[in-house]
Amino acid sequence: MKFNAALGLLALVGGASSSLTITPNTNKNPLVSNQNTTVVPNTFIVELQPDFHPDLQPKERFAKTAPGAKPGYRVRQQYNSTDFFYGVSVSFNTHVDLGTLRQSTGVKNAWKVAIVPRPEPYHLRGAPKISQGTSLPNLRGSAKVNQPLAMSNVQKLHDQGIKGKGVQVAIIDTGVDYRHPALGGGFGRGHKIALGYDFVGDDYDGSNTPVPDPDPLATCVDGGHGTHTAGIVGMEDPDNVGFGLVGVAPEATLASYRVFGCEGSTSNELIVSAFLKAAQDGADVVSISIGGYDIWEEINPFDEVITRLTNHGVAVVAAIGNFGTAGVFSTAAPGISTNALSVGSIENEVYPTVYTAHDDKHKAIDYVSVFPATSLGRVEVYQLGTGLDVPIDANVSSGCYEPAWDALAAASVDWNNTILLVSWVSWCGTNWGTAVDLGAQAILAYQPEELLIVVDEPEDPTTLLYLDYNNSRQIVNNLAQLPAGQKYYLTFDGKKPSSAADPLGRTPDDFSSFGPTVEMSLAPKVSAPGGTILATWPLEAGGYAVLSGTSMATPFAAGSLALLKSQQPHLSVAELYARLMTTAGPVNEPNSKQIASTARQGGGLIDVYAAVKADTVISPSELSLHDSETPAPRNITITNQSKSRKKYSFQHSPGSFYRVYYNYLTGNTDYNGGSEVIPLDVPASASFSQSSLTLGPGQSATVQVQIKPQHDDWPWSLPVYGGFVKIISDDAAYSIPYIGVPYNRTEVGPIMHNVTTQLPYDSPGILKLPANDLFLADGQIPTPNIDSYNWSTDPSKSFIPVFRVDVLLPSRFIRFDLVPANVSFVPSIYGFDPDVHIDYKPPSQAILPGFLGVPTYGQLFSITVDDAPANSPTLSQPLINHFFAQALLLPTLTNDDNVSYNISSGDYRPLLRALRWNGNEANPDDYESWLGPVIRADIPSDEFPTDT
Ligand SMILES: *[C@@H]1O[C@H](CO)[C@@H](O)[C@H](O)[C@H]1NC(C)=O
Ligand SMILES: *[C@@H]1O[C@H](CO)[C@@H](O)[C@H](O)[C@H]1NC(C)=O
Ligand SMILES: *[C@@H]1O[C@H](CO)[C@@H](O)[C@H](O)[C@H]1NC(C)=O
Ligand SMILES: *[C@@H]1O[C@H](CO)[C@@H](O)[C@H](O)[C@H]1NC(C)=O
Ligand SMILES: *[C@@H]1O[C@H](CO)[C@@H](O)[C@H](O)[C@H]1NC(C)=O
């Protein structure tokens, strides 16, 4: 994408205030941060034609292609699998164009090498300080540490001795600490972790040269992610060690492929190598809890590679991502790959380990922690806010209340014998950094509201313990009842864990990414327990940790597939996925009786027992109804594979309806420009060709279902509907998740128009602002048809245009020009009255041929999905949800060769073109366009010389 940083201003939507502010920024989606997929300049994955010099090695074959015949490149990876993928990854010393590479003889396909960010679980609650060395404590008790197995009916299979024997599960991750006794204590044939490979080495950070070796061991704490995911698949705490934790498929053979060093990122080329090696080593299931925010499948080679694997019987289970706060379409790659089983996250029903402390009256207070904090002994409880002249409430004792911290700094506290009590409010956390600076060694966080405990683990030796809502109320009452001047003590004497109810148990986690895919297919496909999951962790860091993420749900689903495969080895990958999807159980929205949308949970929480025991085959396993207000009826085929006659009846369970910019588009003055998705009750209706049918053993029949969403007037708010078609037999219930968007994307262009907003103007439009005060809400609405603007090197003297054109539906290509004011181009959206006569003042400025025959004075920017130039490597820009507030700060444009220059005084019109859904970039009719009013520019040539 081309982008001129000097012009690059993007609206950031304020949370609390009702104004829009513009901040200098790159062209990043303001709603999603820190998930950049970046490309490595001039570096590509090249797949070679199978019949192109088949007798040669990948490197030598590449040398026979035109780009490979020239010197000046380095081969990085060789892909040597004739079954799956044959080619190289290669780095050129000079500029090479992706399109040219793709068209070279012998080349089958090519992709840019992209950096893939390190998986960051949503939070973690390890206990790096408890255990040293390799001796793990015995913490077995009554705690429900294996509750995720119960939630998904894995436990019922374990009870029947079904534990995944004979199935091989490969995990592509940060490596594994296989020295952990729950992971078998060793590596190689005969061990639990029987196979694997390290593609990178400890020191690889995503930018240096990987140093591979055959051993996937990762002992560094930051390599713990792969130890956790491996544990979820296959851990087994030995007798008298740990918590008695059991993975989903503890008898499966595990293989660990390491693609991250101890810090930093990895690249898609190494992930491809890992996929191929996993398949060559005989994997039945590959689990990959990695991925950057991405909605376009073609950016990466994952879709191709995963399709080849699944065609060869290798299932691929991939995280849908932790970008749920970005709203719908917040998927990750490779989770979006067509043939991957993408997985969303459901919250655990329990906080798996809580321990008891007692006060001096022997009243119990239970706290949430991985390990017991017995080393604290008896300590005074010092509530933050003590010493102030105000009553202590949840606000005063919160991490955000500065006077309380000042009072604490002034107090003399013996931190060796004191624990600091802080109220944990979701919007501010505990501020443990300040507490540590003041000397606190232990913090007890209490909750003023019943919320999920989402914690950040300090990286220093501070002990951070959490109270759930009940225990929070208890301790606050105990403190309030103390006689004046008396201190309150807790003795941390409880050594064995129990469990406490998790207030959001069995509902979708808010971090879990939303589907559907940009093609409007179901994503995620299923959900599994992924929130508040206790599993193995590197020994040096205590051996166990609680993490939350779709990273945790993914190995859970992979282990589940392994259990299913062990019982139904004859099923194809698609049939295995279908069984898990149609037997999963839909869950509700948090704190609601409404069924959660399929955009969030896919087919629902997997029920592995039901998947293994199912004796009815339902096809298809999902209904992706795409973009239509009147989707065509669909056929569902039901096959009775049991030995008895069965009656099946049909029902409909609509899920919640989502839209993103709800307030914005409905004129609600409580405008909150965030992308928060509020579940709405706008159910689709469904009618069936018959209400029930009866099938004898081996018989099958088809029933037709017609699903009809409700009419919706706000397509640019990204509405998504979904629900479940239910097929109920005498002894089992099956469901088919459906999803769609209630509008036609071809008819509704990507540019938002005819929408009245709460802002002081409509979109698309222009605002006139002083260049030193770019608050959109303060902007003047220009006169229609034409207005004057002036530029000065002193920004306080400049009155500049700020273009507000929101491209809210996905578009693969957006281009913004300033064109001659008398241009004959007919746009889809006029930003002025074309019948009003204006005496134009053409600038003394060269008119360039422009794009698709529309003359131009130059571009403000263009963005394409797969053509990032080397100087602007951010690739992941999903071209969706773009609030453009594009300010022309300086009178500077860029030509098609990326050369910038000043323009001169005179008349211009802004022209934005955005490629329609499924459009062809070369076809002018496939763009939606906005042509704006005349910008009459006054540009002093002494301040902005036009010669370059
Ligand atoms: C994302 O890109 C921006 C702009 O190039 C950069 O400042 C930021 O550090 C990047 N973030 C990550 C996590 O790489
Ligand atoms: C590629 O595979 C062939 C056949 O298995 C083998 O002989 C050759 O050494 C491999 N080449 C590389 C570069 O790994
Ligand atoms: C607190 O404990 C540390 C280490 O045990 C010790 O060095 C320090 O003197 C103690 N401080 C007080 C105030 O007792
Ligand atoms: C969407 O609109 C286009 C253009 O009018 C039409 O060709 C297409 O059939 C429509 N799609 C659906 C699903 O109605
Ligand atoms: C659905 O089934 C009916 C009857 O079996 C058949 O006529 C029709 O073509 C099928 N429709 C689709 C979309 O497959």
Side-chain angles (χ1 to χ4, degrees):
M1 81 202 69
K2 291 179 187 155
F3 206 80
N4 186 326
L7 305 176
L9 295 182
L10 182 69
L12 274 180
V13 183
S17 82
S18 62
S19 67
L20 278 167
T21 55
I22 327 175
T23 46
N25 203 331
T26 60
N27 46 351
K28 263 178 68 182
N29 185 334
L31 307 170
V32 182
S33 58
N34 294 329
Q35 295 108 28
N36 310 345
T37 302
T38 51
V39 292
V40 183
N42 298 316
T43 305
F44 304 91
I45 293 167
V46 181
E47 187 184 8
L48 297 165
Q49 294 285 6
D51 55 356
F52 185 70
H53 297 278
D55 45 323
L56 297 181
Q57 298 288 307
K59 203 171 171 171
E60 284 73 39
R61 274 209 222 179
F62 177 69
K64 298 282 183 194
T65 66
K70 291 188 228 143
Y73 66 85
R74 183 172 64 85
V75 168
R76 295 154 62 106
Q77 295 283 309
Q78 296 199 65
Y79 305 117
N80 189 22
S81 165
T82 40
D83 279 348
F84 300 116
F85 196 87
Y86 203 95
V88 292
S89 72
V90 58
S91 182
F92 294 96
N93 298 344
T94 51
H95 176 75
V96 170
D97 176 63
L98 179 63
T100 313
L101 193 56
R102 281 186 174 150
Q103 276 149 30
S104 305
T105 305
V107 172
K108 187 170 174 197
N109 206 341
W111 300 265
K112 296 195 172 190
V113 167
I115 298 297
V116 177
R118 194 175 191 83
E120 302 248 349
Y122 199 67
H123 64 268
L124 70 98
R125 199 183 305 140
K129 48 264 162 196
I130 300 294
S131 161
Q132 294 103 21
T134 55
S135 85
L136 295 172
N138 179 357
L139 294 164
R140 283 164 188 256
S142 59
K144 295 176 172 174
V145 292
N146 293 314
Q147 187 64 17
L149 302 183
M151 285 169 71
S152 53
N153 276 336
V154 168
Q155 190 61 53
K156 274 181 154 176
L157 292 175
H158 285 192
D159 292 347
Q160 296 185 0
I162 298 170
K163 297 185 176 180
K165 205 182 199 74
V167 179
Q168 187 170 317
V169 182
I171 298 154
I172 301 177
D173 212 305
T174 60
V176 61
D177 188 354
Y178 52 67
R179 302 167 309 160
H180 199 297
L183 294 175
F187 173 63
R189 291 257 166 244
H191 285 104
K192 185 182 282 290
I193 316 269
L195 300 116
Y197 193 76
D198 180 352
F199 287 90
V200 290
D202 277 0
D203 296 333
Y204 178 70
D205 64 7
S207 61
N208 52 2
T209 304
V211 181
D213 72 80
D215 184 345
L217 182 68
T219 60
C220 42
V221 181
D222 291 330
H225 189 267
T227 303
H228 206 263
T229 54
I232 290 169
V233 179
M235 65 194 166
E236 268 172 303
D237 274 338
D239 290 347
N240 304 320
V241 173
F243 298 91
L245 283 167
V246 180
V248 178
E251 290 178 3
T253 302
L254 303 195
S256 170
Y257 301 93
R258 184 184 190 193
V259 293
F260 289 93
C262 286
E263 280 174 18
S265 42
T266 189
S267 73
N268 57 357
E269 66 190 321
L270 290 169
I271 294 174
V272 169
S273 290
F275 270 126
L276 299 181
K277 179 134 181 69
Q280 280 161 358
D281 286 351
D284 296 296
V285 181
V286 179
S287 179
I288 178 161
S289 296
I290 296 173
Y293 180 44
D294 236 326
I295 63 170
W296 305 101
E297 283 164 5
E298 73 270 26
I299 290 180
N300 282 293
F302 299 141
D303 207 45
E304 304 261 349
V305 171
I306 290 173
T307 299
R308 312 267 169 80
L309 260 63
T310 52
N311 288 345
H312 280 79
V314 184
V316 176
V317 185
I320 198 60
N322 296 342
F323 312 128
T325 52
V328 298
F329 301 107
S330 53
T331 52
I336 45 172
S337 301
T338 328
N339 290 302
L341 186 78
S342 52
V343 188
S345 177
I346 303 265
E347 180 63 21
N348 196 345
E349 289 172 329
V350 297
Y351 297 121
T353 52
V354 302
Y355 299 87
T356 305
H358 293 95
D359 66 14
D360 287 357
K361 291 184 176 160
H362 218 73
K363 279 192 199 158
I365 294 288
D366 288 346
Y367 59 95
V368 172
S369 173
V370 175
F371 295 103
T374 43
S375 62
L376 291 174
R378 179 173 175 269
V379 286
E380 183 191 340
V381 177
Y382 187 99
Q383 190 169 17
L384 184 65
T386 302
L388 291 173
D389 284 340
V390 293
I392 302 180
D393 62 15
N395 179 44
V396 166
S397 66
S398 80
C400 296
Y401 191 67
E402 287 296 334
W405 292 104
D406 295 342
L408 183 62
S412 71
V413 179
D414 171 11
W415 287 117
N416 284 356
N417 294 297
T418 306
I419 190 166
L420 181 66
L421 182 67
V422 179
S423 90
W424 177 74
V425 283
S426 54
W427 42 271
C428 98
T430 59
N431 204 354
W432 50 261
T434 306
V436 170
D437 290 345
L438 294 176
Q441 294 165 32
I443 302 172
L444 192 56
Y446 76 93
Q447 290 190 310
E449 291 172 83
E450 182 151 29
L451 295 172
L452 177 67
I453 298 177
V454 178
V455 295
D456 241 343
E457 181 69 13
E459 280 164 19
D460 52 53
T462 311
T463 299
L464 189 49
L465 309 173
Y466 284 82
L467 300 180
D468 68 4
Y469 184 54
N470 282 338
N471 285 281
S472 298
R473 282 190 306 182
Q474 186 71 52
I475 200 166
V476 168
N477 283 342
N478 294 353
L479 282 162
Q481 283 164 16
L482 278 184
Q486 196 168 319
K487 291 176 172 175
Y488 185 73
Y489 292 89
L490 278 180
T491 305
F492 287 82
D493 47 2
K495 293 195 181 85
K496 290 288 181 188
S498 56
S499 302
D502 180 327
L504 294 185
R506 215 184 174 87
T507 63
D509 281 303
D510 65 355
F511 56 76
S512 191
S513 287
F514 289 82
T517 68
V518 76
E519 289 85 7
M520 296 156 298
S521 299
L522 186 76
K525 301 257 190 222
V526 289
S527 292
T532 312
I533 303 298
L534 176 65
T536 46
W537 197 237
L539 292 175
E540 265 86 343
Y544 298 92
V546 169
L547 271 68
S548 294
T550 52
S551 280
M552 284 65 245
T554 298
F556 199 99
S560 302
L561 263 187
L563 296 178
L564 178 56
K565 171 108 185 167
S566 75
Q567 300 306 299
Q568 309 277 350
H570 57 285
L571 294 185
S572 71
V573 170
E575 288 167 335
L576 292 169
Y577 292 176
R579 279 224 180 197
L580 273 190
M581 290 171 70
T582 56
T583 57
V587 300
N588 288 354
E589 296 285 355
N591 301 316
S592 166
K593 290 200 159 62
Q594 202 166 24
I595 293 173
S597 170
T598 49
R600 176 124 261 207
Q601 63 170 325
L605 176 61
I606 51 179
D607 179 337
V608 195
Y609 184 82
V612 167
K613 301 296 175 189
D615 55 14
T616 297
V617 176
I618 309 289
S619 176
S621 56
E622 65 180 84
L623 296 173
S624 293
L625 302 172
H626 303 291
D627 58 329
S628 170
E629 207 173 307
T630 52
R634 302 298 173 105
N635 286 344
I636 296 168
T637 303
I638 296 136
T639 307
N640 180 2
Q641 290 188 332
S642 77
K643 295 195 165 60
S644 58
R645 201 170 168 74
K646 281 185 197 283
K647 183 177 175 209
Y648 299 90
S649 60
F650 307 108
Q651 288 172 16
H652 174 223
S653 296
S656 53
F657 178 94
Y658 292 153
R659 69 167 82 253
V660 183
Y661 308 107
Y662 184 68
N663 292 350
Y664 178 34
L665 294 163
T666 55
N668 184 337
T669 48
D670 182 21
Y671 166 57
N672 153 3
S675 54
E676 188 187 1
V677 173
I678 299 158
L680 303 171
D681 188 14
V682 187
S685 59
S687 53
F688 296 92
S689 56
Q690 58 200 101
S691 61
S692 66
L693 55 81
T694 302
L695 295 175
Q699 280 186 332
S700 82
T702 295
V703 61
Q704 207 171 58
V705 60
Q706 165 98 63
I707 292 161
K708 200 169 177 306
Q710 295 188 31
H711 172 77
D712 189 78
D713 280 325
W714 300 295
W716 297 284
S717 71
L718 309 179
V720 175
Y721 69 92
F724 296 86
V725 171
K726 309 215 57 135
I727 297 113
I728 319 277
S729 81
D730 310 328
D731 54 0
Y734 302 88
S735 57
I736 305 175
Y738 68 82
I739 197 161
V741 301
Y743 54 91
N744 183 330
R745 261 191 196 170
T746 310
E747 287 176 353
V748 177
I751 301 175
M752 180 171 89
H753 51 101
N754 296 331
V755 174
T756 305
T757 74
Q758 280 301 301
L759 305 168
Y761 55 90
D762 292 349
S763 172
I766 304 185
L767 271 188
K768 186 170 171 179
L769 286 119
N772 63 343
D773 183 21
L774 293 175
F775 282 96
L776 289 196
D778 300 343
Q780 300 172 23
I781 302 164
T783 51
N785 302 318
I786 177 165
D787 212 336
S788 303
Y789 303 83
N790 66 282
W791 279 263
S792 164
T793 45
D794 175 358
S796 70
K797 294 186 180 146
S798 298
F799 270 83
I800 61 161
V802 175
F803 307 108
R804 174 68 198 255
V805 192
D806 295 335
V807 180
L808 288 183
L809 295 183
S811 173
R812 278 159 205 272
F813 181 43
I814 299 170
R815 175 170 165 133
F816 204 159
D817 287 83
L818 287 189
V819 300
N822 62 355
V823 70
S824 60
F825 178 79
V826 177
S828 16
I829 309 165
Y830 276 104
F832 57 97
D833 181 348
D835 294 332
V836 169
H837 174 80
I838 292 172
D839 289 321
Y840 296 117
K841 292 188 182 171
S844 59
Q845 177 77 33
I847 296 180
L848 309 173
F851 177 63
L852 297 178
V854 184
T856 184
Y857 290 117
Q859 293 186 49
L860 277 81
F861 65 83
S862 67
I863 308 174
T864 80
V865 77
D866 65 359
D867 189 26
N871 61 356
S872 171
T874 301
L875 184 83
S876 68
Q877 193 57 19
L879 309 191
I880 184 172
N881 313 2
H882 269 264
F883 288 87
F884 283 121
Q886 186 71 24
L888 197 59
L889 263 188
L890 298 173
T892 309
L893 296 182
T894 306
N895 69 16
D896 284 5
D897 295 325
N898 217 14
V899 176
S900 297
Y901 47 90
N902 291 327
I903 54 173
S904 57
S905 294
D907 290 352
Y908 299 84
R909 281 190 197 276
L911 170 63
L912 183 133
R913 280 170 284 182
L915 190 63
R916 290 177 189 274
W917 178 245
N918 275 340
N920 171 356
E921 276 189 30
N923 182 356
D925 295 340
D926 285 356
Y927 288 81
E928 187 169 44
S929 53
W930 171 74
L931 186 63
V934 172
I935 310 283
R936 180 150 289 174
D938 177 6
I939 303 167
S941 61
D942 51 336
E943 293 183 54
F944 300 101
T946 48
D947 24 325
T948 43

